[in-house]
Amino acid sequence: MSYMKIIFIKSFILILCFFIGNCAQSQTHLKLILNTTEPIDKAFVGHFTDKEFISIEFKDTLELDFKIQKTDFYHVNYLQGEKIYNVKLFLNCGSITVVMRIENDTLLVDKVSGSPFYEKVKKWKQNYTTIIQREDSAALDSFLLTTYEEQIDNIFSFSIGKKYLDIHQNNKLKLYALLPLIARQNDELKTQFGFGILNDRLLGIIRNNIISLSDFDLLDTENKTVFASTYNSRFTILDFWFVGCIPCIEDHKKIRELLPILKQKNIELISISNDDNYQTWKEYIEKNNYAWQHYKKPASPQNIVNQLGISSYPTYLLLDNEGKILHSTYSLEEVLSFVK
């Protein structure tokens, strides 16, 4: 081998080691640039694998460091009073620049530099949108399962699997296709944020056909352990929610107006909160004077939320008078359409 070839190979190895070492040992550096005339107060940025979160006063350009050493899922939030502009990004480790703007009350990403994985996810989303527009369900299933397998060694697979689950949450036979894919993922990946959201809900759907509410302890607004009751209703709608869930709060306003109609149709509505803070939950119920059954999950891990693997809010389950699960959805309007 020639002297020049040896020098080239050694140089290449040194450069490769530098980049690998840089990603494995140093912090991930995010440079966030926001072009806006909106009076933003502060930014809140975090990822969930190592639970690193940074809250910082707003500047047009922010420089943030994280200890994460792998591709991860970031939440970028800009706060203006109670208003939140946010975007979610899959990013590599390393030094990354994200250029954004606010348009029509939406935080938009104009450019990302230093993260090839962001571009990969962006292309995936474009392909997904194209298939959705074609309204070809078979092609969509194939795309989701195939790309899940292609991304099986990283956390983006969880997002793909969750889309497939959401589409088929009322079709158990379709959901069985996810089980062998999940089984192939390595143990380290299964400990990362997002896996439980997918896996627990998948098993919650597959394993539960009938819900006996008398099997589950709940807490009432007096902080007493009780059981929910269906009062021999024709149907029961279970509403899983939490106080910080804005769509949940909006749905509760609609439910208040619908209560007379639900009672007339002999439909019981039971709201079960996933809140950990008892006082916050109680104050919300009492402040709004909502006159239907409200309970909070207990601290015990053996609770109805965990049993069903509920992870998206709101989630509505429709039960018949024997407790059989008839339908699962994230939409109040959709669940009500089944009880006309």
Side-chain angles (χ1 to χ4, degrees):
M1 184 179 293
S2 71
Y3 176 76
M4 290 303 296
K5 277 189 175 180
I6 293 173
I7 294 296
F8 173 79
I9 292 172
K10 285 184 176 180
S11 299
F12 177 78
I13 291 172
L14 286 172
I15 293 169
L16 181 62
C17 289
F18 170 79
F19 281 110
I20 293 174
N22 187 52
C23 203
Q25 297 173 12
S26 69
Q27 296 175 322
T28 291
H29 181 79
L30 295 187
K31 183 176 183 180
L32 304 179
I33 301 171
L34 178 62
N35 299 314
T36 182
T37 57
E38 296 289 340
I40 303 298
D41 301 317
K42 60 181 179 179
F44 182 76
V45 183
H47 69 83
F48 290 90
T49 298
D50 295 327
K51 295 183 172 63
E52 291 185 276
F53 304 98
I54 297 175
S55 180
I56 188 170
E57 292 300 312
F58 173 70
K59 291 192 297 184
D60 291 346
T61 300
L62 298 173
E63 307 261 357
L64 308 176
D65 289 314
F66 294 91
K67 296 177 182 178
I68 188 68
Q69 299 174 3
K70 62 192 78 173
T71 298
D72 208 343
F73 184 47
Y74 290 81
H75 283 233
V76 178
N77 304 273
Y78 289 96
L79 286 68
Q80 180 193 78
E82 296 185 357
K83 182 180 288 187
I84 301 175
Y85 304 97
N86 65 82
V87 69
K88 301 169 185 177
L89 305 168
F90 282 93
L91 301 173
N92 297 93
C93 59
S95 182
I96 299 162
T97 299
V98 182
V99 181
M100 297 163 285
R101 60 190 162 90
I102 294 174
E103 184 175 303
N104 297 325
D105 279 345
T106 302
L107 183 60
L108 301 175
V109 176
D110 287 325
K111 184 180 180 181
V112 174
S113 303
S115 179
F117 198 78
Y118 170 81
E119 297 301 328
K120 181 183 291 187
V121 173
K122 181 179 177 181
K123 184 176 180 180
W124 183 94
K125 290 179 178 178
Q126 291 169 345
N127 292 336
Y128 174 78
T129 300
T130 298
I131 297 173
I132 288 288
Q133 292 171 344
R134 282 163 39 193
E135 299 183 350
D136 185 338
S137 59
L140 181 60
D141 286 353
S142 176
F143 173 75
L144 292 173
L145 293 173
T146 299
T147 55
Y148 187 115
E149 187 169 18
E150 291 171 353
Q151 305 299 326
I152 206 165
D153 62 347
N154 65 70
I155 62 174
F156 182 51
S157 60
F158 306 155
S159 294
I160 299 172
K162 186 62 165 57
K163 283 189 179 295
Y164 184 87
L165 184 150
D166 289 347
I167 292 169
H168 297 301
Q169 60 184 302
N170 293 293
N171 188 337
K172 290 186 181 184
L173 289 177
K174 290 277 190 179
L175 292 182
Y176 281 112
L178 287 178
L179 293 176
L181 294 173
I182 286 176
R184 287 172 50 195
Q185 295 187 296
N186 64 56
D187 291 339
E188 181 185 357
L189 201 61
K190 291 177 181 179
T191 66
Q192 294 188 28
F193 177 81
F195 177 78
I197 292 176
L198 169 62
N199 188 62
D200 293 352
R201 184 58 183 139
L202 175 64
L203 297 180
I205 294 173
I206 289 176
R207 293 175 177 174
N208 294 279
N209 296 312
I210 295 176
I211 298 176
S212 177
L213 292 175
S214 60
D215 290 342
F216 300 99
D217 292 346
L218 295 168
L219 297 177
D220 66 10
T221 52
E222 301 302 317
N223 210 16
K224 295 179 180 178
T225 300
V226 295
F227 301 102
S229 175
T230 60
Y231 300 113
N232 298 315
S233 299
R234 186 166 62 100
F235 295 107
T236 298
I237 297 174
L238 299 184
D239 159 38
F240 293 94
W241 70 288
F242 66 94
V243 171
C245 168
I246 294 176
C248 305
I249 304 308
E250 293 303 312
D251 279 0
H252 286 173
K253 296 174 184 177
K254 298 174 186 176
I255 290 170
R256 186 211 301 268
E257 303 302 318
L258 292 169
L259 272 183
I261 298 173
L262 295 177
K263 289 183 178 180
Q264 190 177 59
K265 294 182 176 182
N266 196 19
I267 299 167
E268 190 69 31
L269 194 139
I270 301 173
S271 291
I272 301 174
S273 167
N274 190 41
D275 285 291
D276 292 321
N277 189 302
Y278 166 77
Q279 196 61 37
T280 299
W281 167 73
K282 179 181 179 179
E283 288 174 359
Y284 168 84
I285 302 303
E286 293 182 344
K287 175 184 176 182
N288 291 285
N289 195 28
Y290 286 143
W292 66 88
Q293 290 191 71
H294 278 275
Y295 305 101
K296 193 183 86 65
K297 72 170 187 180
S300 166
Q302 304 300 319
N303 60 67
I304 190 171
V305 175
N306 290 349
Q307 171 76 18
L308 295 168
I310 303 296
S311 56
S312 298
Y313 299 90
T315 289
Y316 296 97
L317 298 187
L318 177 65
L319 314 180
D320 68 10
N321 58 8
E322 295 181 348
K324 181 180 179 181
I325 301 174
L326 302 177
H327 195 74
S328 172
T329 179
Y330 308 125
S331 165
L332 176 63
E333 287 73 21
E334 182 176 325
V335 75
L336 291 176
S337 71
F338 282 84
V339 293
K340 288 183 177 180

